[in-house]
Amino acid sequence: MKAQVLSAWDGRLSLAVLPRPQIQENEVLVAVRACGVGLTVLNYMRGQLGRPEVFPRVPGHEIAGVVEAVGSGVTAVRPGDRVIVFFYLTCGWCEECRAGRDSRCKHHRGYVGVHRDGGYAEFVALPEANVLPLPDGIPFADATAIPDAIATPYHVCATRARVEAGDRMVVVGAGGGVGIHMMQMGRLFGARVVAVDVDEAKLARCRELGAAHAVHFRAPDAAAQARAALGGGATVAVDLVGSDQTLGWTFDLLGRGGRMITLTTFEDTGLRLAPRRMVFDELEVLGSRYCSRAEVLAAARLVRDGRIVPVVSRTVPLAQVEELHAMLRKGTLLGRGAVTFGS
Ligand SMILES: [Zn+2]
């Protein structure tokens, strides 16, 4: 089968021909129809998601496809099923997993596309527990946005920030793969949403998708614009960029009862908190990590019902994946990209 593989921590992929993966007793072989392309893949390729020295490695975790074959111990998945894929490799039996908090698994075994081969290939073998049903009617390219780019915002809005009608929400990095769906999710949960990004085309799309206002981060009055459009300080402020600059800016924008949510992390960044403001305004600063399997299923239902629009702005064949990586590095890819296989 054809695959894009990483052979060193140099951020470069090469097209290779590999044997079709063999499945174990509790595994499923998926014929990949589409695989999402986002910044997480680039972070992996630079060794920032752990460094399992298993080369060549096939990256890609936002997989949508059709089950080709199942191992002898597989019970719930059948050949021909349309599926999407859960990103984390979890144990399934620790108290966090059993409480439905999959991303906090105490025996976290890594990630699809990092600690085992992923979806930048015609076929991928996965544990049965990582394969979730894809509702009928959702095209495969759109489906690649569900298990991370849409389910992650669902976890933020439903579980971490507890967004509700009347919330004033700002999304920093709103034109990216997670951001463009975070913005939509915030609206769906009842918030007034202001989008913040640095690319005019992305800001225009945010307006089309219902942002009350879209602010260029580098505008000298960006914070004042955001405040005016929100009608006050933010009650929910989501930073998807994770730089020292955006973290501080986002914290400063919080109003009374504000919850700041941070998702994108780098080892050398920090946030200086102001305890007096935190006390006087009862602020909360929260981390949010991926999502649960149940939240992936909820995200899929929202797409099936037309309540969240997957924004997969560009698809390419596997051989041209580097075009999408180049756009990601330049910050010009609106929403998500995807590689697609046949039809
Ligand atoms: Zn667990």
Side-chain angles (χ1 to χ4, degrees):
M1 65 171 190
K2 284 185 202 143
Q4 289 279 4
V5 298
L6 186 75
S7 298
W9 299 114
D10 58 2
R12 302 173 69 88
L13 297 181
S14 54
L15 197 59
V17 175
L18 302 180
R20 191 182 284 200
Q22 299 291 312
I23 47 173
Q24 308 294 316
E25 188 184 353
N26 294 311
E27 291 182 346
V28 172
L29 184 69
V30 175
V32 180
R33 295 297 180 83
C35 185
V37 178
L39 285 170
T40 301
V41 176
L42 296 187
N43 289 338
Y44 156 65
M45 286 161 57
R46 291 193 299 260
Q48 290 170 354
L49 290 182
R51 289 187 167 231
E53 296 283 345
V54 183
F55 294 125
R57 172 63 88 220
V58 181
H61 67 279
E62 296 173 309
I63 299 164
V66 177
V67 174
E68 179 82 7
V70 300
S72 59
V74 168
T75 56
V77 178
R78 278 174 286 200
D81 285 356
R82 286 159 47 89
V83 293
I84 47 180
V85 170
F86 190 71
F87 181 24
Y88 282 20
L89 300 165
T90 57
C91 77
W93 54 263
C94 74
E95 62 190 83
E96 297 290 354
C97 282
R98 286 182 169 170
R101 296 187 291 260
D102 309 54
S103 62
R104 294 189 203 170
C105 175
K106 291 180 171 180
H107 310 283
H108 183 64
R109 291 160 184 166
Y111 312 99
V112 172
V114 177
H115 297 86
R116 57 183 299 146
D117 283 339
Y120 279 17
E122 291 175 285
F123 293 92
V124 58
L126 294 161
E128 180 185 14
N130 282 75
V131 174
L132 302 173
L134 171 63
D136 288 340
I138 303 174
F140 290 109
D142 285 355
T144 62
I146 293 170
D148 186 352
I150 298 174
T152 296
Y154 186 85
H155 180 65
V156 168
C157 291
T159 305
R160 302 298 288 147
R162 308 172 309 279
V163 179
E164 57 185 28
D167 265 320
R168 302 185 301 270
M169 180 170 172
V170 64
V171 179
V172 181
V178 176
I180 202 114
H181 301 104
M182 186 74 71
M183 202 200 80
Q184 293 186 59
M185 197 67 74
R187 285 196 73 220
L188 187 65
F189 275 72
R192 177 177 182 82
V193 180
V194 166
V196 181
D197 212 300
V198 292
D199 180 272
E200 287 300 341
K202 289 180 177 178
L203 293 172
R205 187 75 176 113
C206 290
R207 288 184 199 103
E208 287 168 13
L209 287 168
H213 190 55
V215 181
H216 198 295
F217 183 70
R218 299 207 183 96
D221 63 341
Q225 280 188 49
R227 236 173 252 283
L230 288 169
T235 58
V236 179
V238 183
D239 178 18
L240 293 160
V241 179
S243 69
D244 290 329
Q245 198 186 8
T246 60
L247 287 165
W249 192 92
T250 306
F251 182 77
D252 287 346
L253 206 65
L254 289 172
R256 286 183 188 210
R259 289 90 78 197
M260 174 168 167
I261 318 294
T262 173
L263 298 97
T264 307
T265 66
F266 300 98
E267 281 187 356
D268 300 331
T269 56
L271 167 63
R272 187 176 158 81
L273 299 173
R276 174 157 291 207
R277 272 192 62 215
M278 291 194 68
V279 171
F280 282 21
D281 289 339
E282 291 206 316
L283 306 182
E284 296 173 67
V285 177
L286 303 164
S288 188
R289 187 171 189 190
Y290 189 42
C291 63
S292 68
R293 285 170 171 79
E295 287 166 334
V296 173
L297 298 177
R301 288 193 295 272
L302 293 177
V303 172
R304 178 198 66 193
D305 296 345
R307 300 174 76 192
I308 295 288
V309 179
V311 180
V312 181
S313 66
R314 195 171 157 93
T315 61
V316 298
L318 182 67
Q320 292 165 34
V321 68
E322 199 48 50
E323 284 178 27
L324 297 182
H325 290 177
M327 290 178 76
L328 280 170
R329 288 187 191 100
K330 281 190 285 188
T332 57
L333 184 65
L334 168 73
R336 271 287 190 265
V339 292
T340 55
F341 300 79
S343 59

